[in-house]
Structure formats: C-alpha cells, structure tokens
Amino acid sequence: MPLFDRILIANRGEIAVRLLRACRELGISPVAVYSEVDREALHVRLADEAILLGPAAPAESYLNMEKVIAAALQSGAAAVHPGYGFLSENAGFARRAAAAGLVFIGPPPGAIDAMGDKAAARVLMQSSGVPVVPGVQDVADDKALAKAAKDIGFPVLVKAAAGGGGKGMRVVNASADLLESAAAARREALNAFGDDRLILEKYVARGRHVEIQVLADQHGNTVHLFERECSVQRRHQKIIEETPSPLLDDDLRSAMGDAAVAAAQAVGYTNAGTVEFIVDPDTRAFYFLEMNTRLQVEHPITEAITGLDLAQWQIRIAAGERLPFQQADLTPHGHAIECRLYAEDPATGFLPSTGTLLAFDLPSGPGVRVDSGVTEGSEISVHYDPLMAKLIVHAGDRPAALRRMQTALSETVVLGVTTNREFLLDVLQHPVFAAGEATTRFIEEHLPNWRPATSVPPAALIAAALAELRAPASSNGATPAADADPYSPWARPTGFRMGGG
Ligand code: MV4
C-alpha cells in the first residue's frame, strides 16, 4: 500500500524535481503544476501529469491558492507538497488545503502561525527554556523604544515582528539613528506584511548562523538531525552551507539540538523544520532567531551526513508513519558542503542574469550530488528565483569535502548566462573560510566589490561557436561519410556496436 496514490508538487525548479524523485521512490505518482513560461521545464517533463496554472507571475500561478488546490483536486491527488518559498509557509494555504480534503505535507497551520509572529515566538521560546537574544518585543512608543535600546546597549537590531529571513531588518549603531531607523522599518513592515509591529534585539555582530534540522512525527516523537552552518550569505541569500559546523563541539551541538527540539515541541510542531540560531563565537553562547517551517534549500547536506531522505520522511510523517529511530540512534557521518549555483552577474552587483542555457555541464563522481531544475536549452527568465543548481559534496572530513567541492565547481560549465561559479571558488579558497572562521559578515569584510578574474565572451559569440561545433557548416572530416571505408566497424550494420557479440 503506497502512503498516498498521488501527490501534487506545488512548486517548480530544482525543489520540484527533488520532490518528484521522492514520490517515485515511494511508489507515489507525482503531479506537477506549471506556469506559461514553464511549459518545457524539467519538472513538467519528469511528472506523471502536469497541470497549467496560468501566467508567469507567481500571483497567477505558483502563489495562487485557489488554482493550486483546484489542480490538486482535478488530478485526484491526496496530498500537496509546497516545497520552499511560494505557499510553503502560508498557514492559510495549509488550512484551505485541509478544508478541501488534501493532506498538507508540512507542519500544522497553528505551528506556522506561532513561528511566523516573531514577537510571540520570542515570548514562547523564552518560557520554553530556549535562549533568545536580549531584547524586547513590545515597544509602545518612541520613548519606550529609546529606553529599551539604551538598556540593551548598541548596536541593536530592529526587526519586523511579521518579517523573517532578514526582511525589514535594520542595524542601529548609535542612539542618534534609532528613531529614524525604527520609523523606516515600520513603514517597510507595514508595506510588506501589513503589520508594523517591531522587535528590538541586541545585534550579535560577527556571529555565526547555525541552524538545527528537526523532524517530528504525529505520535510525539521529535528528533534533531544536527546542524547546518550558513554564515556565508549575501544580502540574506545563502551561498554556501556545511555540516558539521566548524565552530561546534559535541557539547554545544547537543545543547543546541535539545533547544531546537524544545522549540519545536513548544508549538506542537510536526514534519520537517529548521530552528535558526545565532552563535557568538567569542562566548559560544547561542540564541534563537526564528524557525523556518518548511523543507529548506540546504536540506541535502543533512541527508548526506545522516543518510536519511528528508523529503521521503516528510511524506511518511504526513501519512501518519512513526519515526523508527530515536535521538540516540542518530550519528552524523563525515562532512558535507553545498554550493548554490545562481544565474547572476557579479559585474552588476549580482543582478539576475537571464538567457538560454547553451551549455550546462554538471559535475559527478564519488560523493557528488547535483540537484538541478534546468538543462541545456532551458530559459532562465526574470520571473523566478535565479537558483539553477545545488552542488552537494560529501567526504570523510572538512578538508576532503572542500577539495571535492573545488573539483566539482571546476568541472561545472555554464554558457549562455553568467553565474556565481568563480565567486564560489574564491570563497572556498579564502583563508578565513578555509579555516572555518567565516561569520555572517564574511563577504562584506573579506570579498567586497568582488570581480571575476577573467571575462566571459558575449552569449552571441558562444552561441555561434557552439552551433558550428554541433552542426558544421562545411565537411571538415569530423563526421566521415558511412561509405568512405567499407571495412570500418562504424559502417558495419552488425558490428560490435550493435551489442550482438
Ligand atoms: C540576527 C543577527 C544578529 N543578531 N539577530 C538574518 C536573517 C534572519 N533569520 C535573522 N538574521 C540575523 N539576525 C541578532 N539579534 C544576525 C542575523 C544574520 C545576518 C545579519 C546580517 C547579515 C547577514 C546575516 C546572516 C545570517 C544571520
């Protein structure tokens, strides 16, 4: 008996492909959805059935709850997996899916809501014994704000209570800037979330961003699957993630793991989730930042060191299965690193780079995994996230994993769009990163205004060269005529090529 007969994958790109594979391996028929610009996309080709949602704009396709639920019902799917982004952390969508008789493959809507409100989450975490950054969550007026900031001590961080992932966040270094920054943050938060409440926290500068993966079934079993270090980010976009974190020892790992499990249990969490912490490398104190109530982009490195398929476990848990292991049964193995290959141009300040993929050669070999949503010929458009592929390596220890990633990136060839490949190689080779000491300020402090060492020829030139290579205009001996040598094995109809001998 399969867990579900059919599952609708409400996403696109590499994560849709990843989830389609999980369905197949569980004997479940995967159904894709797509927008008008994704008709030829890989996730559409790999699905059993694909349903058109509408125009490219997310609001008219992947973000449209009504259309996604209608597609699920039309296909006869029993469950819907939201992937990451889009509808994945939308409690309203989880409720509407359930009301339509669909299993939402994710946490209960109440847990999404509880973690979505950063002010309420801070209070709940504190009362659950999970350390939070010194700060306040209810500042009635400017006077109370000024007093709170003075008590906390500068620098402070102003965050939108309804925000997350760094949206609506502002560092304030001195009291003179406080009220202006707070007012700007309020406007931004009101605009983006329709909610202008703020929280104020001590800013842990040069901290380490370490997150803990949790997994909880619907029978009261919650475990953690160790940490991922994600300190290397550019404008809150993660670039490189690794596990184990070079900063943690077994005691700190265990304490953070326990705190993450407590955080999950405090909101009645089930399914896969991630508890984000900031760690002060000087004191080794750790503080809860937020919980991401979805499968994350960087989940494959956890799969590498645990040997568990997180996407499959999400489906099993949603179907009501019990986790067959306890915390004591889990041991991490080796070291895993992920690099995100983005279609973006370092020369324009990392703006998305669009175009047709003229060549797309991906690495392989022992301990190398590639999760990609595109192939040669794919169009990289402005409509969606510019993540093209994730390169994941696994090796016995960190130095071996670093060399394996450098090899994988060296094998990677992308023509037609500009990528961050060279930037990734330079981060890996930087002595601070190589020493395992990169903080959340690594890029701004060590690679500001980065430029590639070599320039890439224009796409038109590459296209012309590739066209010539693949379909030569004049015969140059590269493809000899079949009758040139009647004794050539290539001309024989029953030769070794036919597999007959
Ligand atoms: C912080 C912090 C330091 N101190 N909060 C960033 C995303 C969101 N999840 C919370 N984030 C942070 N919150 C306090 N009190 C550091 C980060 C942070 C960060 C900040 C600036 C630039 C890059 C960063 C990368 C990861 C985390």
Side-chain angles (χ1 to χ4, degrees):
M1 263 282 284
L3 303 148
F4 301 105
D5 289 332
R6 314 199 85 186
I7 291 178
L8 184 100
I9 309 300
N11 215 300
R12 65 178 304 284
E14 67 86 19
I15 193 63
V17 172
R18 165 75 189 90
L19 297 170
L20 286 159
R21 289 180 175 139
C23 288
R24 289 234 181 273
E25 291 178 21
L26 290 171
I28 298 168
S29 166
V31 181
V33 289
Y34 63 99
S35 72
E36 284 167 9
V37 293
D38 277 343
R39 284 177 195 281
E40 320 259 305
L42 185 61
H43 77 282
V44 172
R45 298 206 319 248
L46 295 180
D48 281 351
E49 185 189 346
I51 297 173
L52 175 67
L53 293 173
E60 299 188 67
S61 50
Y62 301 104
L63 254 182
N64 190 300
M65 297 192 232
E66 251 151 83
K67 287 183 178 175
V68 169
I69 289 172
L73 296 176
Q74 180 196 321
S75 70
V80 54
H81 196 309
Y84 55 69
F86 295 124
L87 297 167
S88 61
E89 296 189 274
N90 187 320
F93 176 70
R95 289 194 178 92
R96 285 171 71 162
L102 297 162
V103 174
F104 176 77
I105 302 174
I112 301 177
D113 279 337
M115 286 300 184
D117 181 337
K118 310 297 160 212
R122 264 182 67 88
V123 176
L124 184 61
M125 290 304 113
Q126 234 168 342
S127 66
S128 308
V130 180
V132 299
V133 194
V136 289
Q137 46 281 325
D138 28 37
V139 273
D141 52 32
D142 284 356
K143 212 177 135 205
L145 189 73
K147 164 120 182 25
K150 199 163 162 256
D151 290 348
I152 295 165
F154 290 93
V156 296
L157 200 49
V158 177
K159 299 181 178 179
K167 269 173 268 160
M169 220 173 79
R170 271 193 166 66
V171 178
V172 185
N173 287 309
S175 63
D177 306 328
L178 179 69
L179 296 186
E180 196 186 316
S181 290
R186 269 194 206 289
R187 278 195 302 274
E188 217 172 284
L190 189 64
N191 207 20
F193 315 112
D195 179 348
D196 75 348
R197 289 173 307 130
L198 300 178
I199 65 174
L200 199 61
E201 287 181 352
K202 175 81 188 171
Y203 177 48
V204 182
R206 295 184 188 81
R208 306 278 288 256
H209 180 122
V210 180
E211 58 187 30
I212 306 281
Q213 176 71 53
V214 298
L215 206 53
D217 67 19
Q218 301 187 57
H219 306 278
N221 304 301
T222 306
V223 296
H224 71 82
L225 302 178
F226 314 103
E227 77 278 12
R228 294 184 289 258
E229 165 133 21
C230 316
S231 297
V232 180
Q233 309 191 2
R234 238 198 68 265
R235 289 194 228 113
H236 301 296
Q237 184 191 61
K238 291 168 187 164
I239 296 167
I240 300 179
E241 304 96 347
E242 66 180 306
T243 182
S245 161
L247 182 70
L248 268 54
D249 56 22
D250 286 344
D251 286 346
L252 188 49
R253 176 170 300 115
S254 173
M256 291 180 71
D258 290 348
V261 167
Q265 286 173 333
V267 296
Y269 203 88
T270 62
N271 218 286
T274 298
V275 185
E276 268 184 26
F277 295 97
I278 190 93
V279 187
D280 183 333
D282 299 327
T283 63
R284 302 179 71 80
F286 65 89
Y287 307 99
F288 170 89
L289 289 182
E290 55 191 76
M291 182 170 189
N292 301 315
T293 56
R294 60 171 191 274
L295 185 70
Q296 287 192 262
V297 177
E298 60 271 25
H299 76 276
I301 58 173
T302 299
E303 297 187 319
I305 62 143
T306 61
L308 296 170
D309 187 307
L310 282 175
Q312 288 189 20
W313 274 111
Q314 285 197 289
I315 296 169
R316 289 181 181 281
I317 286 169
E321 272 196 22
R322 279 174 187 277
L323 291 177
F325 43 78
Q326 296 180 332
Q327 195 63 54
D329 301 322
L330 298 166
T331 316
H333 293 282
H335 199 98
I337 305 176
E338 173 179 276
C339 280
R340 301 190 189 185
L341 189 66
Y342 286 106
E344 56 185 22
D345 188 357
T348 61
F350 295 89
L351 284 178
S353 168
T354 59
T356 306
L357 282 184
L358 302 172
F360 195 55
D361 294 344
L362 293 169
S364 61
V368 178
R369 165 178 171 180
V370 181
D371 280 20
S372 170
V374 292
T375 56
E376 229 165 75
S378 289
E379 280 296 322
I380 309 291
S381 74
V382 295
H383 302 290
Y384 310 111
D385 190 276
L387 179 67
M388 287 194 295
K390 306 184 304 203
L391 312 187
I392 303 107
V393 300
H394 186 212
D397 57 21
R398 190 170 190 267
L402 279 174
R403 284 193 298 269
R404 187 158 271 174
M405 181 59 86
Q406 283 167 7
T407 307
L409 281 166
S410 309
E411 287 178 26
T412 304
V413 178
V414 183
L415 296 176
V417 298
T418 308
T419 77
N420 64 336
R421 191 189 73 108
E422 282 77 13
F423 183 67
L424 289 165
L425 277 166
D426 280 359
V427 171
L428 294 176
Q429 277 152 17
H430 193 284
V432 172
F433 182 84
E437 288 170 357
T439 71
T440 56
R441 297 185 59 173
F442 171 78
I443 291 174
E444 62 181 288
E445 288 182 348
H446 298 289
L447 295 168
N449 313 314
W450 182 91
R451 284 287 178 278
T454 54
S455 67
V456 176
L461 266 183
I462 297 167
L466 283 171
E468 171 64 17
L469 184 70
R470 287 167 191 171
S474 59
S475 180
N476 58 5
T479 48
D483 62 355
D485 172 7
Y487 300 103
S488 161
W490 302 106
R492 253 184 286 155
T494 54
F496 62 87
R497 286 183 301 129
M498 309 305 285

